[in-house]
Amino acid sequence: MKLLIINGPNLNLLGLREPEIYGKQDYAALLDFLQASAEEAGVEIECFQSNHEGAIVDAIQAAYGVFDGIVINPAAYTHTSVAILDALKAVALPAVEVHLSDVSLREDFRRISYAGMACQKTFMGLGFEGYRQAILFLKDRLSSR
Ligand code: CA2
């Protein structure tokens, strides 16, 4: 089972600022955490991060026929990108949305999630643990098909 983990803009700068919202750990620590979570779940993962909307759309399209599912934190594009929503709908791979922070408790503009409309589940406000939950959720869903 192969999962694609997508992280959107600025998540490569994790740990640099706003630790009270996103935690103190950096992106390299997130990658280590993802790898450990994948090994625990017995799945293969590939991690992709981009600051560019089109590159994220390209990665979702390229996942078709290669990956069994997608875990995505579209970061700021969560709240703006119909293109990412359409790409997720187009490939129709099982997808789970993750947010480090609880976006429902923040500014109003963060309450809308376009990508989330094409996802089977959302984990938010759990920090890195949300990604682990997402991997386990997809593993469970995909193994019972
Ligand atoms: O909580 C999340 O995971 C978010 O997807 C993070 C996005 C934000 O736009 C979403 O509303 C919620 C922002 C990621 C920014 O990452 C930073 C990295 C370093 C310093 C400051 C922010």
Side-chain angles (χ1 to χ4, degrees), residues 30-60:
L30 176 59
L31 292 178
D32 288 345
F33 180 88
L34 290 170
Q35 201 45 57
S37 302
E39 278 163 28
E40 178 202 346
V43 303
E44 207 181 317
I45 57 163
E46 196 171 302
C47 299
F48 173 79
Q49 189 277 331
S50 178
N51 297 323
H52 304 278
E53 185 177 19
I56 294 171
V57 170
D58 288 344
I60 294 168

Side-chain angles (χ1 to χ4, degrees), residues 63-122:
Y64 185 74
V66 176
F67 291 92
D68 303 297
I70 296 176
V71 173
I72 184 164
N73 181 348
Y77 290 138
T78 305
H79 320 297
T80 61
S81 181
V82 177
I84 291 174
L85 166 63
D86 286 345
L88 288 170
K89 281 183 160 175
V91 300
L93 285 166
V96 175
E97 176 187 26
V98 174
H99 296 289
L100 294 162
S101 64
D102 186 343
V103 287
S104 72
L105 301 176
R106 299 180 62 193
E107 302 94 325
D108 282 352
F109 68 83
R110 294 188 204 272
R111 293 213 176 131
I112 177 110
S113 169
Y114 290 101
M117 294 172 194
C119 290
Q120 296 190 354
K121 193 158 175 79
T122 298

Side-chain angles (χ1 to χ4, degrees), residues 3 5 34 37 41 43 71 131-139:
L3 304 180
I5 318 285
L34 290 170
S37 302
V43 303
V71 173
Y131 290 87
R132 182 173 159 270
Q133 294 295 323
I135 289 169
L136 291 171
F137 176 89
L138 277 177
K139 195 220 164 154

